[in-house]
């Protein structure tokens, strides 16, 4: 059974021994034992030097901090937007190749402009990255909603030429793009309102602090002589 565990990925005796030699416990205990040897050479330990050295090693090993696994290093939230920026470039190239009605094209241009502004490197994208749900809204629009709407329009338009349907595919596409643009606009408005609230909070803080001296009388007015 022991052999099986070693072959299955368990650490061998030699590996465990090498790991202990490099551990903080062994290093701290060895440093304490060297101190014991120094005391022995100085004549303080006498005949009991093995007990002193061994005791100091054991005390040092016990006082050393226990080993701990390294904490996982996650990427900064804003750095995860790089792939999304690249996907937006791909989406724009796709939209340039397809033939869409003018109204839908204008709305899609406005939509991709909003998404590009949100993803532009800087403090705006950093604010976006603070909320995973906001990032999900943008990612869903870029990677699924817009491509699916355009592709569904192109498919339906081909079938409509053979057998006209109850509603023109252009109207359906324009409705979908309008909904997506409204969703993106709500996200932009929410981020703007958060910044406005932050600004108003800072104004309130300055007012509560005393107005920064705005209500004080200026020195020039204090020195002005009274009117005759």
């Amino acid at each position: 059974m022991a052999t099986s565990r070693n072959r299955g990925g368990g650490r061998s005796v030699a590996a465990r021994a090498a790991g202990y030699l490099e551990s903080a416990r062994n290093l701290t205990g060895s440093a304490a034992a060297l101190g014991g040897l120094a005391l022995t050479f100085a004549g303080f330990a006498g005949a009991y030097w093995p007990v002193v050295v061994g005791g100091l090693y054991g005390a040092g090993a016990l006082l050393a901090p226990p080993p701990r696994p390294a904490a996982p290093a996650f990427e900064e939230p804003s750095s995860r937007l790089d792939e999304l920026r690249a996907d937006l470039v791909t989406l724009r190239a796709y939209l340039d190749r397809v033939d869409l009605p003018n109204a839908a094209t204008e709305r899609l241009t406005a939509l991709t402009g909003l998404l590009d502004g949100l993803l532009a490197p800087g403090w705006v994208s950093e604010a976006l990255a603070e909320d995973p749900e906001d990032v999900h809204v943008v990612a869903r629009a870029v990677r699924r909603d817009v491509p699916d709407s355009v592709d569904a329009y192109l498919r339906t338009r081909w079938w409509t030429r053979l057998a006209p349907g109850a509603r023109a595919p252009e109207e359906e596409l324009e409705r979908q793009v309008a909904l997506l643009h409204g969703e993106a606009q709500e996200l932009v408005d929410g981020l703007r309102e958060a910044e406005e609230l932050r600004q108003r909070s800072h104004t309130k803080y300055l007012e509560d602090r005393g107005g920064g001296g705005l209500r004080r009388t200026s020195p020039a007015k204090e020195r002005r002589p009274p009117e005759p």
Side-chain angles (χ1 to χ4, degrees):
M1 295 296 291
T3 303
S4 174
R5 284 196 297 269
N6 289 338
R7 291 180 178 178
R11 298 179 64 187
S12 65
V13 175
R16 288 196 295 267
Y20 179 76
L21 290 176
E22 299 174 354
S23 66
R25 290 183 180 276
N26 180 59
L27 296 177
T28 305
S30 298
L34 289 176
L37 289 176
L39 293 175
T40 299
F41 294 144
F44 292 101
Y48 299 98
W49 70 267
V51 178
V52 173
V53 173
L56 288 175
Y57 176 86
L62 290 176
L63 292 176
R68 63 179 179 84
F74 296 107
E75 295 180 346
E76 291 294 328
S78 58
S79 65
R80 303 174 189 173
L81 300 180
D82 292 339
E83 294 183 0
L84 194 49
R85 295 185 186 104
D87 291 341
L88 180 58
V89 173
T90 302
L91 175 63
R92 278 179 158 171
Y94 165 71
L95 295 176
D96 290 340
R97 295 195 306 268
V98 296
D99 182 19
L100 301 174
N102 292 333
T105 299
E106 293 176 359
R107 184 75 75 167
L108 281 171
T109 301
L111 172 59
T112 54
L114 288 178
L115 298 176
D116 185 61
L118 289 170
L119 293 173
W123 65 269
V124 175
S125 61
E126 291 174 359
L128 173 70
E130 290 179 358
D131 191 340
E133 181 61 29
D134 291 345
V135 177
H136 173 69
V137 171
V138 175
R140 182 178 58 194
V142 172
R143 294 169 174 165
R144 189 181 69 188
D145 290 340
V146 173
D148 286 355
S149 295
V150 173
D151 186 65
Y153 161 74
L154 296 175
R155 291 170 179 267
T156 307
R157 184 182 62 175
W158 186 88
W159 285 107
T160 303
R161 291 173 179 175
L162 299 180
R167 186 172 182 177
E170 291 79 8
E171 296 179 4
E172 199 72 33
L173 174 63
E174 292 169 9
R175 175 60 177 162
Q176 292 174 359
V177 176
L179 291 172
L180 292 174
H181 183 271
E183 189 176 46
Q185 188 64 57
E186 288 181 2
L187 178 56
V188 171
D189 292 342
L191 293 173
R192 187 202 67 238
E193 291 172 1
E195 292 300 330
E196 291 176 349
L197 177 60
R198 178 174 176 269
Q199 185 185 33
R200 291 195 298 269
S201 298
H202 188 60
T203 302
K204 184 66 167 57
Y205 161 72
L206 294 177
E207 291 175 346
D208 293 342
R209 199 176 67 180
L214 294 178
R215 291 196 293 267
R216 299 175 184 172
T217 303
S218 64
K221 291 182 179 180
E222 292 177 353
R223 292 194 298 267
R224 181 178 302 173
E227 296 292 337

